[in-house]
Amino acid sequence: MSITHVVAAGDLCLPSIGLLADDLSHAFAASDAVRLDLSAVAAPDLSVVQLVESARRTARDDGRDFALASPVGAPFRALLARAGFTPASEEDASFWFHGDSAQ
């Protein structure tokens, strides 16, 4: 199985989220398995979480393999906490934190 990698970087927020949405759309058109690398995103906002959750649910519903390339770092952990995603369900912890319970 071929895996397509998508890398996001910088200040990823509402004005720039369309670029990531396009990248994910192209990745899913090219492959049934996509890995999203958010490790270089410095200042995410809720639009990123919304896009990633949408991609996650769509991939699941379509039988595709979508995951993060690595657990999210401190900026995302703080954002997810503010947004009410933590404490996370087992499924959410596996996706966002790769099972790391130290949220």
Side-chain angles (χ1 to χ4, degrees):
M1 168 175 48
S2 174
I3 298 175
T4 301
H5 292 269
V6 175
V7 178
D11 293 341
L12 195 55
C13 53
L14 189 58
S16 60
I17 198 67
L19 297 174
L20 179 57
D22 289 345
D23 289 347
L24 286 172
S25 179
H26 291 122
F28 278 117
S31 175
D32 283 336
V34 174
R35 295 297 175 269
L36 176 59
D37 184 347
L38 297 171
S39 62
V41 176
D45 72 4
L46 282 176
S47 67
V48 182
V49 175
Q50 290 172 323
L51 176 64
V52 172
E53 281 295 312
S54 176
R56 179 180 168 197
R57 284 171 173 45
T58 300
R60 181 189 62 216
D61 292 349
D62 292 347
R64 294 172 180 253
D65 180 14
F66 177 63
L68 298 181
S70 61
V72 293
F76 271 99
R77 286 178 184 261
L79 175 62
L80 291 167
R82 286 191 312 271
F85 278 79
T86 56
S89 69
E90 187 174 318
E91 183 181 349
D92 289 341
S94 178
F95 180 81
W96 289 103
F97 310 114
H98 290 206
D100 179 8
S101 61
Q103 301 170 24

